[in-house]
Amino acid sequence: THRSGQNKSTMSTESDIPLDPSTFLSQQVETSRVFFFEDPAEAEFNVKCGGFERCRPDYRIDRPGFPWFLLEFVHGGSGTLILNGVQVPLKPGMLFLYGPDVEHHIASAPGDPLLKYFVGFSGAAATRFMELHGLCPGMILQSLKGESFRHTFDTLIERGMRNSKISRPICTAIVQQLLLMCLEDAVDAGSTDTRAYATFSRVKQYVSKYFLELGTLDAIATACALDAPYLCRLFARFHDESPYQFLTRLKMQHAASLLLEGGTPLKEVARVSGFPAPFHFSRVF
């Protein structure tokens, strides 16, 4: 479903919120892609709706709560979020979860409107799933792998809009995947404002740009003027790979591209990837 809205949301209290998602999603959007599911009585983990919104400059949401859980992911733009009294600036890569009794205020920056994904879900199984994994409404996270979240949300929307017999169970599995990704691929938003995270981001960007010229952990540490053990601790805190594993993966992705394109001998692919010995390269690959 594609839509563009002109009217501001009229929700004021939780009791005023209808249970049909199409009647309460904000109309302060330029365009959106949205899917809705009927509410089956037998569903214990019930995906209600999901989508992507390109918000208008005047986009603003002020609610005292929500009838079910809603996970949102900021893909672009900027703005302000107040969740349970905690105010943070919104920026790309941020995730936040709210639900019943969680007061929330969301506003776009007029000069840089928000682009964001969302999914709504409810049910006793959903509550148990979040409790089992230590997830709770009110959390504000910063993704370390924003493209992974974007891709997963796009898959969710594409499957939801098919509206086939198995769209609902597929979407339920994808929502559970998104929630687990919050644990593995995101950190508390406050920790990303630290000097440690700034250092990690600087190193990650440097390695991503110069991976063909780097060969060892010590080389990374020297180039970035850091101590190697400290570098390893940074990646253990903010990433799911060690610095050397990250470097090796970038090299192997580059090598795979060369091999798929064809025309480059294996020995040359190994050399440009930083492996003078083709046998060593093949083993690592």
Side-chain angles (χ1 to χ4, degrees):
T1 302
H2 294 265
R3 64 175 184 170
S4 62
Q6 299 299 322
N7 300 319
K8 292 187 176 182
S9 172
T10 58
M11 286 180 290
S12 57
T13 66
E14 194 168 333
S15 61
D16 293 332
I17 301 176
L19 294 183
D20 177 4
S22 64
T23 65
F24 66 77
L25 292 179
S26 174
Q27 298 299 301
Q28 301 170 75
V29 296
E30 298 288 351
T31 59
S32 64
R33 293 179 290 132
V34 182
F35 70 87
F36 308 102
F37 285 141
E38 296 296 327
D39 193 2
E42 71 277 5
E44 288 196 352
F45 196 120
N46 185 15
V47 178
K48 312 283 280 189
C49 61
F52 172 81
E53 296 178 322
R54 182 180 297 273
C55 300
R56 286 181 5 199
D58 63 346
Y59 180 91
R60 184 175 181 87
I61 293 294
D62 297 288
R63 303 190 190 105
F66 211 66
W68 49 78
F69 305 113
L70 208 71
L71 176 67
E72 301 210 28
F73 170 65
V74 179
H75 174 55
S78 59
T80 303
L81 169 69
I82 303 176
L83 208 57
N84 266 347
V86 177
Q87 180 172 330
V88 297
L90 286 175
K91 57 186 178 181
M94 291 190 71
L95 297 125
F96 52 98
L97 176 69
Y98 54 91
D101 302 320
V102 177
E103 182 179 354
H104 50 280
H105 306 269
I106 311 166
S108 262
D112 189 23
L114 291 167
L115 308 174
K116 60 187 182 72
Y117 292 88
F118 65 90
V119 62
F121 55 98
S122 66
T127 300
R128 291 195 299 270
F129 184 89
M130 290 192 295
E131 289 176 348
L132 175 64
H133 296 288
L135 298 164
C136 61
M139 69 180 191
I140 306 172
L141 304 172
Q142 176 71 39
S143 67
L144 302 176
K145 297 183 176 181
E147 281 303 299
S148 296
F149 280 98
R150 183 195 63 78
H151 176 74
T152 306
F153 267 106
D154 280 336
T155 302
L156 172 72
I157 296 170
E158 188 269 329
R159 291 290 179 172
M161 293 178 73
R162 287 190 186 187
N163 200 26
S164 70
K165 292 182 179 179
I166 60 172
S167 288
R168 185 187 298 274
I170 289 177
C171 287
T172 297
I174 295 174
V175 171
Q176 291 175 346
Q177 176 185 342
L178 282 166
L179 291 170
L180 293 176
M181 287 170 62
C182 288
L183 297 176
E184 186 166 76
D185 296 344
V187 296
D188 181 84
S191 68
T192 61
D193 294 327
T194 63
R195 181 178 299 179
Y197 183 76
T199 301
F200 163 76
S201 297
R202 175 173 64 86
V203 174
K204 189 168 180 284
Q205 291 174 4
Y206 184 88
V207 175
S208 297
K209 184 175 181 180
Y210 296 108
F211 65 91
L212 289 178
E213 302 173 18
L214 299 168
T216 64
L217 171 62
D218 287 337
I220 299 173
T222 299
C224 297
L226 293 170
D227 179 69
Y230 175 67
L231 189 56
C232 291
R233 291 196 297 272
L234 282 179
F235 271 71
R237 178 179 176 185
F238 295 115
H239 203 52
D240 58 355
E241 298 171 303
S242 70
Y244 186 72
Q245 287 172 332
F246 177 59
L247 172 65
T248 302
R249 180 169 58 82
L250 293 176
K251 289 177 178 290
M252 294 302 102
Q253 287 176 341
H254 178 72
S257 297
L258 293 177
L259 292 171
L260 287 171
E261 290 172 1
T264 305
L266 178 60
K267 184 176 181 179
E268 179 63 14
V269 172
R271 187 191 66 79
V272 300
S273 300
F275 294 84
F279 175 75
H280 183 207
F281 166 78
S282 295
R283 187 175 61 179
V284 174
F285 188 85

